[in-house]
């Protein structure tokens, strides 16, 4: 972010996965993806899309940074991001139509996901391509593991399954399924709990 | 949704977009500005109106672009880029018109308009309208209803957060944590509308 950013692989990994995790610290980009965390499989595909888009678009934006005029850089960034999202969307439609149907408009919404734009502005714009690629990658992974951490309990408590496979006890008659967990409010509650746990753990740096 | 409802259908689409299928509480769109700008009722109202206006306008524009230009040319895969460009252009245009003809309104909404270009609710609204194959009239109703729903949600949230400012909240829950829990409770309440409209 600021000038003293650590650009070693370790530093970038720590920054993206933990210290500056996009979800816990910055609460960014939760818009398009909370919706798909009711099923672990959907979440995994969405995360893969995000990891690909974010790493590659960071790399591209960094490569183009010398060529891009300052005043149209937002437009260029948006187009680069849209380019990768379209590739992913079209391939998904071709090879895995069911999944494409499940995710609905949310794949396309990666374009307006604030994390992608946020990383482009904060890092890819003024760092070398290698650093930008790693930064994008680790931020996306940091984001993905939180989403998976939200998706697993939601599917388990709400449907008694993980990745569609029945889990003993939770899918049995003794477990009263928490239907609310797979409905929208469940996503908000799980994310709130995740943020709570993380922030209490990390200590509150904010005012 | 009931196909023989005829004239009533746009109304049904509008109300279900505003309540049961609330774009924020059920579709999770527009969360970022929602969390960032919901501290005060006044600013929330300004942003809310801006969203209603832009969402309705871009729904119409994007409907025309998609069904009248992209589909006949077989270029549906370009829809993301076209939608984004249309939204950005529309916002820019509205900003210029407001600045020229209605300085009062410009002062109220001006600062929110640029924020809206990156609001996922706007792009999401257009994408949903295309996926669900709405007619033009239904698309207008959907855009307007979604905007109203978003505004209702952010207004309620801002009202609650103004009261919340003086409460004692566990350290880790302050800020986004408690907000998300309240959003969850609001989403629960809005789910209560399910079945009223059958959509």
């Amino acid at each position: 972010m600021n000038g003293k950013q650590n650009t070693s692989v370790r530093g970038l990994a720590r920054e993206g996965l933990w210290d500056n995790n996009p979800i816990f610290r910055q609460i960014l980009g939760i818009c398009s993806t909370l919706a798909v965390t009711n099923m672990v499989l959907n979440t995994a595909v969405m995360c893969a899309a995000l990891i690909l888009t974010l790493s590659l678009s960071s790399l591209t934006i960094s490569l183009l940074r010398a060529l891009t005029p300052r005043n149209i850089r937002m437009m260029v960034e948006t187009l680069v991001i849209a380019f990768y999202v379209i590739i992913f969307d079209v391939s998904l439609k071709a090879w895995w139509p069911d999944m494409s149907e499940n995710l609905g408009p949310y794949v396309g919404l990666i374009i307006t996901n604030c994390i992608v734009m946020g990383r482009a502005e904060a890092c890819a714009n003024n760092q070398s391509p290698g650093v930008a690629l790693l930064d994008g990658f680790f931020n996306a992974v940091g984001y993905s593991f939180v989403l998976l951490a939200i998706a697993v309990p939601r599917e388990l408590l709400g449907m008694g399954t993980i990745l569609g496979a029945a889990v003993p006890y939770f899918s049995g008659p003794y477990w009263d399924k928490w239907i609310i967990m797979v409905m929208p409010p469940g996503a908000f509650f799980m994310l709130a709990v995740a943020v709570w746990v993380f922030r209490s753990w990390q200590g509150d740096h904010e005012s | 949704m009931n196909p023989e409802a005829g004239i009533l259908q746009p109304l049904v689409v509008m109300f279900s977009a505003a309540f049961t299928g609330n774009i924020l509480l059920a579709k999770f769109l527009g969360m970022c500005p929602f969390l960032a700008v919901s501290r005060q009722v006044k600013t929330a109202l300004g942003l809310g109106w801006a969203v209603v206006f832009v969402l309705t306008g871009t729904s119409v524009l994007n409907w025309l672009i998609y069904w009248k230009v992209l589909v006949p040319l077989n270029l549906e895969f370009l829809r993301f880029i076209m939608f984004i460009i249309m939204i950005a252009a529309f916002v820019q245009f509205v900003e210029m018109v407001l600045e020229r003809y209605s300085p009062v309104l410009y002062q109220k909404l001006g600062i929110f308009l640029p924020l809206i270009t990156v609001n996922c609710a706007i792009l999401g609204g257009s994408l949903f309208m295309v996926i669900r194959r709405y007619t033009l009239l239904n698309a207008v109703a959907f855009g307007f209803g979604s905007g109203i729903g978003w505004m209702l949600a952010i207004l309620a949230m801002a009202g609650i957060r103004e009261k919340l400012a003086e409460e004692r909240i566990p350290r880790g829950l302050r800020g986004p944590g408690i907000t998300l829990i309240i959003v969850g409770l609001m989403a629960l309440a809005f789910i209560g509308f399910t079945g009223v409209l059958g959509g």
Side-chain angles (χ1 to χ4, degrees):
Chain A
M1 298 281 235
N2 36 33
K4 61 184 171 56
Q5 191 187 18
N6 188 347
T7 51
S8 68
V9 176
R10 263 183 77 104
L12 285 173
R14 208 186 141 75
E15 185 81 355
L17 296 180
W18 192 252
D19 287 348
N20 212 5
N21 184 294
I23 294 193
F24 292 144
R25 281 254 61 90
Q26 313 169 32
I27 319 282
L28 276 187
I30 48 180
C31 339
S32 57
T33 329
L34 268 179
V36 297
T37 52
N38 53 354
M39 299 284 227
V40 178
L41 190 60
N42 293 356
T43 315
V45 174
M46 190 70 184
C47 291
L50 192 89
I51 293 175
L52 276 177
T53 318
L54 187 46
S55 332
L56 292 176
S57 62
S58 283
L59 176 69
T60 318
I61 290 165
S62 171
L63 285 172
L64 292 175
R65 72 187 190 285
L67 302 173
T68 321
R70 205 70 201 145
N71 43 356
I72 60 159
R73 71 172 197 291
M74 294 284 254
M75 208 63 220
V76 173
E77 283 161 10
T78 311
L79 288 179
V80 169
I81 297 164
F83 171 74
Y84 287 111
V85 170
I86 289 175
I87 292 182
F88 193 89
D89 182 62
V90 173
S91 339
L92 199 64
K93 221 170 240 161
W95 288 315
W96 202 354
D98 297 347
M99 184 48 75
S100 175
E101 192 105 323
N102 277 349
L103 294 178
Y106 293 103
V107 172
L109 285 168
I110 292 179
I111 299 175
T112 47
N113 190 319
C114 346
I115 295 183
V116 188
M117 203 55 158
R119 288 333 292 169
E121 281 287 289
C123 181
N125 239 336
N126 44 33
Q127 298 280 3
S128 65
V131 174
L133 175 68
L134 284 174
D135 175 84
F137 177 76
F138 284 122
N139 266 288
V141 173
Y143 177 79
S144 304
F145 95 81
V146 179
L147 282 182
L148 284 171
I150 293 170
V152 169
R154 278 187 78 190
E155 190 177 337
L156 182 67
L157 298 175
M159 321 253 280
T161 58
I162 283 185
L163 284 169
V167 176
Y169 185 72
F170 284 104
S171 56
Y174 304 110
W175 178 255
D176 208 0
K177 294 192 175 70
W178 301 8
I179 299 299
I180 201 71
M181 289 309 279
V182 286
M183 284 164 55
F188 290 118
F189 292 138
M190 275 312 299
L191 180 63
V193 169
V195 170
W196 186 7
V197 169
F198 174 85
R199 291 219 164 167
S200 310
W201 189 351
Q202 206 190 34
D204 208 3
H205 300 302
E206 280 177 31
S207 51
Chain B
M1 228 151 283
N2 193 349
E4 63 260 279
I7 185 90
L8 280 178
Q9 207 194 0
L11 278 179
V12 174
V13 169
M14 189 178 96
F15 279 104
S16 73
F19 294 106
T20 51
N22 188 291
I23 198 153
L24 181 94
L25 299 169
K27 305 284 190 289
F28 307 98
L29 297 176
M31 283 300 289
C32 307
F34 178 79
L35 293 179
V37 195
S38 60
R39 287 213 172 78
Q40 282 180 332
V41 173
K42 223 180 120 200
T43 41
L45 192 66
L47 184 62
W49 277 119
V51 167
V52 173
F53 187 60
V54 175
L55 199 52
T56 317
T58 55
S59 286
V60 177
L61 280 177
N62 286 340
W63 190 92
L64 291 173
I65 286 279
Y66 187 77
W67 294 110
K68 298 295 171 206
V69 180
L70 293 183
V71 170
L73 293 176
N74 243 336
L75 287 173
E76 289 99 329
F77 69 91
L78 277 182
R79 64 183 187 281
F80 298 146
I81 287 186
M82 284 314 291
F83 286 1
I84 288 271
I85 293 176
M86 288 309 291
I87 292 168
F90 183 75
V91 169
Q92 196 78 55
F93 176 73
V94 169
E95 215 180 332
M96 287 186 317
V97 171
L98 278 186
E99 199 177 4
R100 176 80 181 73
Y101 293 105
S102 172
V104 183
L105 207 58
Y106 180 73
Q107 263 187 346
K108 274 188 187 147
L109 301 184
I111 45 165
F112 300 113
L113 283 169
L115 263 179
I116 285 190
T117 317
V118 289
N119 186 335
C120 26
I122 312 290
L123 179 63
S126 291
L127 290 175
F128 267 115
M129 151 203 101
V130 160
I131 286 180
R132 294 183 185 161
R133 304 177 159 272
Y134 282 140
T135 59
L136 181 56
L137 197 56
N138 282 354
V140 177
F142 177 74
F144 182 71
S146 297
I148 292 285
W150 199 89
M151 187 174 78
L152 281 179
I154 196 171
L155 265 186
M157 189 70 225
I160 296 172
R161 276 183 89 170
E162 276 187 356
K163 293 266 179 293
L164 210 63
E166 290 118 46
E167 297 296 323
R168 293 174 55 213
I169 299 159
R171 220 168 40 135
L173 261 183
R174 267 178 221 154
I178 192 74
T179 313
L180 285 165
I181 290 183
I182 295 168
V183 181
L185 292 174
M186 272 163 57
L188 265 181
F190 272 66
I191 279 184
F193 290 112
T194 314
V196 175
L197 295 158

